[in-house]
Amino acid sequence: LRSYLRDESSRLRLLRRFYEKVQALHQDPEASVDNPLLAFSLIKRLHSDWPNVIYSDEATRNTQALHAGLREVEQELPGAEDLEGAARALMRLQDVYALSVKGLASGVFQRAGQPPLYSPGRRAPLSADDCFHVGKVAYDTGDYYHSIAWLEEAVSLFRLSYGSWNLEDRSSLEDALDHLAFSYFMAGNISHALSLSREFLRYADPRNQRVSRNVAKYKKLLETGMGASARPLQRPNSTRLQSRDAYEELCQRPRAQVGLPGLWGPPAPLGSPPHALLGPLPPQEAPEQLLHLGCSYETNGSPFLLLQPAKKEMVRTQPHVALYHDFITDAEAETIKGLAGPWLQRSVVASGEKQQKAEYRISKSAWLKDTADPVVRALERRMAALTGLDLRPPYAEHLQVVNYGLGGHYEPHFDHATSTKSPLYRMKSGNRIATIMIYLSAVEAGGSTAFIYANFSVPVVKNAALFWWNLRRNGNGDGDTLHAGCPVLAGDKWVANKWIHEYGQEFRRPCSADPQD
């Protein structure tokens, strides 16, 4: 585009020079066609100079160069699916974090009566056309709850700038009014649909037959009393998530202060209270839980950890969840992200005996074997030392690296299989007994890991590793490990997952004497 503007500016300068020369000749009172030289130049100018200027190939060549430049990068540019996904991401953030559409359109991430969840250094307000496209994505799927909110904002912004035109806009006030009117009709608000349709006819073509028929239809419905009361709009629950309210409440909690600078100076006394509780404890469990929550240096009896013990923060005892600070270095995290980057593909979930993409998990992932790089091999040894478990294949899966981009999330789920038909059993090494999740990056807002039934969330702590047991000692799944990856509100979230299976761990995590344990 810069090259095109430069070439076009040069062409227009030459065109202006020609225009000024011609204008000067026409305005010169001394110029007369009695002069044969002037007569010749006039005839030549009218016969060949003007057509040469008007039909110059230079403008065409400049445009063709612009088109060729676009074709070179077209494969790397976002497609229709990406645009739709980005619009859905904004609606997801709107829902999960209870954000105002008007606030989002003005570049503010804020809930009513609350401080901003995220304050960017530079605001990036949305245009009327931007809001229209978000609303149109909802409209096209029959989601009038979201289409009304976003199209209302689009109409409001278009009204403010009515009469002006932006080169990049593909929609207009008329488009927004048309879609908003029908959204209100489908939501049962006939009187508002009628008002917007009349406004459409005022601003657009008053002879538009389709909208005129709609106006007549709306009038008739109101006269017969059929559209007298509007139904309250219900937010769609496309993934039929039963624990949606609890999940969203946990995601909305303020970020706890985890990993404070200087925390790991002198070792903390065993049993000392934790520096951050990540959500209220159930009253009946609070006293007992507090006795066991704290920060400590851990070697787990491994020589590997003697010189550099793991920095453990016990987050919860039921379910058993621990956060290990500074588990990897910045350089190791960057290496792992670099290795996984070229292989990232849309993440899938287990569905019966198959694996498929799903709206409730939006991320990209790749798998790394321990032979991929010495850093991965060293990380595998460190995880084995930390957990005391056997991570050799087939007792553990390869390292999964996941990138959660714009609004990336994973709704509440279990890591362990809840059905014997799950693809997890293809490894012939039993169910997933434990999870290690390593945070490879920091995020500015959102992205917490929320444990739904246990009622707490863990914010992203760069270079830390989160560990929990998925199965009880008796081999049954621990229902309290239902967890979710909250949508990323701002930033680029990278994690590495290590799932360890129960076979091979019989003597490393033996059954208890209590069959219920």
Side-chain angles (χ1 to χ4, degrees):
L1 185 61
R2 186 168 59 245
S3 299
Y4 174 74
L5 289 170
R6 185 187 62 238
D7 295 341
E8 279 292 279
S9 297
S10 174
R11 183 180 70 84
L12 291 172
R13 276 197 304 273
L14 294 173
L15 188 61
R16 176 167 287 279
R17 196 179 303 163
F18 173 76
Y19 165 76
E20 288 169 351
K21 182 179 77 173
V22 172
Q23 186 186 40
L25 285 169
H26 279 273
Q27 291 176 348
D28 184 1
E30 301 298 323
S32 168
V33 289
D34 293 342
N35 183 332
L37 296 177
L38 284 173
F40 171 79
S41 64
L42 173 63
I43 294 168
K44 176 179 176 292
R45 194 162 59 248
L46 294 174
H47 172 72
S48 59
D49 291 3
W50 272 105
N52 286 345
V53 169
I54 299 302
Y55 298 111
S56 166
D57 289 338
E58 191 176 0
T60 304
R61 284 197 302 272
N62 291 346
T63 304
Q64 287 174 343
L66 181 64
H67 292 174
L70 176 64
R71 282 193 296 272
E72 283 180 19
V73 297
E74 206 160 13
Q75 294 301 316
E76 301 168 25
L77 297 178
E81 185 182 1
D82 297 301
L83 179 59
E84 183 179 328
R88 292 192 183 284
L90 289 182
M91 289 184 270
R92 187 180 310 121
L93 296 175
Q94 168 199 347
D95 291 342
V96 173
Y97 295 107
L99 300 174
S100 145
V101 170
K102 187 168 285 295
L104 284 172
S106 61
V108 177
F109 298 80
Q110 193 164 6
R111 302 197 301 273
Q114 300 286 330
L117 288 171
Y118 164 59
S119 300
R122 176 174 171 267
R123 279 195 191 182
L126 299 177
S127 68
D129 189 62
D130 294 335
C131 293
F132 173 80
H133 273 81
V134 177
K136 179 74 163 51
V137 167
Y139 176 92
D140 287 342
T141 57
D143 174 8
Y144 302 112
Y145 173 89
H146 288 106
S147 73
I148 285 175
W150 285 94
L151 292 172
E152 279 280 17
E153 190 58 28
V155 165
S156 175
L157 292 171
F158 273 127
R159 282 172 179 154
L160 290 174
S161 61
Y162 191 72
S164 62
W165 179 75
N166 292 320
L167 174 69
E168 68 272 18
D169 285 357
R170 295 183 63 184
S171 60
S172 63
L173 174 60
E174 291 78 15
D175 294 323
L177 286 169
D178 193 13
H179 286 80
L180 182 59
F182 192 75
S183 295
Y184 270 115
F185 167 68
M186 293 301 291
N189 194 333
I190 309 298
S191 60
H192 206 44
L194 174 60
S195 172
L196 291 163
S197 296
R198 282 172 168 165
E199 186 179 353
F200 173 92
L201 292 175
R202 271 201 313 275
Y203 280 110
D205 180 8
R207 293 166 298 195
N208 186 298
Q209 293 185 3
R210 179 179 56 80
V211 177
S212 296
R213 284 196 300 269
N214 285 349
V215 167
K217 179 180 178 181
Y218 298 153
K219 282 182 180 177
K220 189 172 182 180
L221 287 170
L222 288 171
E223 286 167 4
T224 57
M226 291 180 65
S229 59
R231 299 185 301 272
L233 273 174
Q234 296 293 321
R235 185 178 133 204
N237 189 358
S238 57
T239 56
R240 296 176 175 81
L241 180 61
Q242 294 180 347
S243 53
R244 184 173 73 179
D245 292 344
Y247 158 60
E248 292 177 357
E249 192 275 324
L250 285 168
C251 290
Q252 290 170 20
R253 286 184 184 173
R255 290 167 63 88
Q257 289 183 313
V258 179
L260 297 176
L263 173 69
W264 297 103
L270 289 176
S272 60
H275 65 280
L277 288 178
L278 308 175
L281 294 166
Q284 71 275 14
E285 297 180 21
E288 183 182 346
Q289 287 256 26
L290 280 171
L291 289 173
H292 302 285
L293 298 181
C295 300
S296 58
Y297 285 97
E298 295 287 329
T299 63
N300 199 29
S302 169
F304 191 86
L305 297 173
L306 280 177
L307 293 179
Q308 189 174 353
K311 302 169 182 177
K312 178 181 180 181
E313 175 185 346
M314 197 65 205
V315 180
R316 280 291 190 277
T317 56
Q318 182 49 46
H320 177 104
V321 179
L323 187 68
Y324 293 91
H325 294 261
D326 300 323
F327 187 70
I328 59 169
T329 65
D330 287 342
E332 288 173 327
E334 290 304 314
T335 297
I336 291 169
K337 288 193 289 184
L339 290 169
W343 305 101
L344 287 174
Q345 292 184 334
R346 174 75 184 269
S347 299
V348 295
V349 296
S351 177
E353 298 182 34
K354 299 179 180 178
Q355 292 188 316
Q356 61 185 28
K357 298 174 185 176
E359 268 299 304
Y360 63 84
R361 187 185 192 187
I362 303 295
S363 62
K364 288 189 172 185
S365 59
W367 298 86
L368 296 180
K369 296 182 179 180
D370 62 356
T371 54
D373 191 272
V375 167
V376 181
R377 197 154 48 247
L379 187 59
E380 297 271 347
R381 287 198 302 268
R382 199 176 307 153
M383 289 187 287
L386 181 76
T387 61
L389 300 176
D390 192 342
L391 270 59
R392 296 173 301 170
Y395 304 135
E397 297 172 42
H398 297 308
L399 191 69
Q400 185 197 49
V401 183
V402 185
N403 176 224
Y404 296 87
L406 171 63
H409 74 135
Y410 194 174
E411 285 186 356
H413 63 282
F414 292 107
D415 279 358
H416 61 272
T418 55
S419 164
T420 53
K421 294 182 179 180
S422 169
L424 294 180
Y425 286 106
R426 290 177 190 162
M427 289 180 66
K428 308 292 185 186
S429 55
N431 211 339
R432 288 173 173 168
I433 193 172
T435 294
I436 303 173
M437 185 169 67
I438 305 167
Y439 296 114
L440 302 175
S441 67
V443 297
E444 294 181 73
S448 296
T449 303
F451 287 81
I452 311 304
Y453 296 149
N455 191 31
F456 71 95
S457 60
V458 183
V460 175
V461 181
K462 189 177 188 304
N463 296 347
L466 195 64
F467 172 86
W468 67 88
W469 295 108
N470 294 306
L471 305 182
R472 298 182 181 277
R473 288 185 179 272
N474 61 12
N476 294 334
D478 187 342
D480 286 337
T481 62
L482 183 75
H483 64 285
C486 296
V488 178
L489 185 60
D492 192 21
K493 180 183 174 184
W494 288 78
V495 301
N497 295 313
K498 189 70 176 177
W499 287 301
I500 307 163
H501 285 241
E502 53 189 331
Y503 292 6
Q505 322 305 339
E506 293 85 349
F507 298 103
R508 296 168 185 264
R509 194 201 187 208
C511 297
S512 136
D514 181 0
Q516 302 303 316
D517 188 5

